[in-house]
Amino acid sequence: MKVWVCTCFDTSFDFCEQKYNVRYDSFDIEIIRGSSEEGHNLFIETTKKNAKLANEATRRFLSEICWLYQSRVEIIAGGGWASHKTPTNVAFRKFARIGGGIDLTSYRQIASTHEQKIALGIYREAFSSNSIFYKFLVVLKSSI
């Protein structure tokens, strides 16, 4: 049975295009740019059996966006799956988006090992949160 993993998220930079289709791990990801009042939507079509893996790929992909574009990224809603592609038009935005800074036209996955994926996830948490306990990671990256 085919299902859709649907995630609504916000970024501190806006996307250049209205829609992108990218490949991450074994999944095809569709990103729809949100409006000025609503979050962006990310969709993965998969099977019920692979929904958990698709959901994890969503989070790892968003961590790469944070790293590659130095954009804060926060998941607003999602984590489940549905039998059809349902946009989550959440009228809550945490960040004031700066013009089109994220262009996924030539996106290629950068993290391939489990350790790299974990490191990017921790980095996204540090970069996107206001927690002083994570901020040293942002300073560490800027000195690399």
Side-chain angles (χ1 to χ4, degrees), residues 10-144:
D10 196 15
T11 55
S12 55
F13 288 107
D14 213 346
F15 287 93
C16 295
E17 303 291 330
Q18 181 63 36
K19 180 179 174 181
Y20 289 99
N21 290 296
V22 298
R23 186 89 173 151
Y24 189 89
D25 285 344
S26 62
F27 298 101
D28 291 317
I29 296 176
E30 179 181 348
I31 297 104
I32 306 291
R33 181 178 64 203
S35 70
S36 60
E37 293 86 29
E38 298 170 338
H40 309 295
N41 281 281
L42 184 152
F43 304 103
I44 298 177
E45 184 179 14
T46 188
T47 62
K48 188 174 178 180
K49 177 182 169 186
N50 288 330
K52 181 179 177 192
L53 291 174
N55 198 17
E56 290 170 4
T58 296
R59 276 124 177 92
R60 291 193 306 266
F61 169 75
L62 293 175
S63 295
E64 285 200 14
I65 296 301
C66 177
W67 176 269
L68 291 169
Y69 297 95
Q70 296 300 292
S71 175
R72 297 176 77 178
V73 176
E74 183 169 307
I75 295 168
I76 298 171
W81 48 269
S83 59
H84 55 285
K85 185 166 81 173
T86 308
T88 308
N89 297 320
V90 177
F92 166 82
R93 288 191 36 239
K94 182 173 181 178
F95 308 123
R97 291 188 200 137
I98 300 170
I102 301 175
D103 184 1
L104 299 175
T105 305
S106 59
Y107 169 80
R108 299 290 176 262
Q109 183 175 347
I110 59 170
S112 56
T113 69
H114 181 70
E115 291 79 13
Q116 291 170 334
K117 292 173 183 177
I118 288 174
L120 286 177
I122 293 170
Y123 180 78
R124 179 174 60 89
E125 287 294 322
F127 198 79
S128 301
S129 77
N130 290 323
S131 171
I132 60 169
F133 301 105
Y134 280 124
K135 289 300 176 190
F136 77 94
L137 294 170
V138 177
V139 174
L140 180 66
K141 193 231 181 217
S142 65
S143 66
I144 295 176

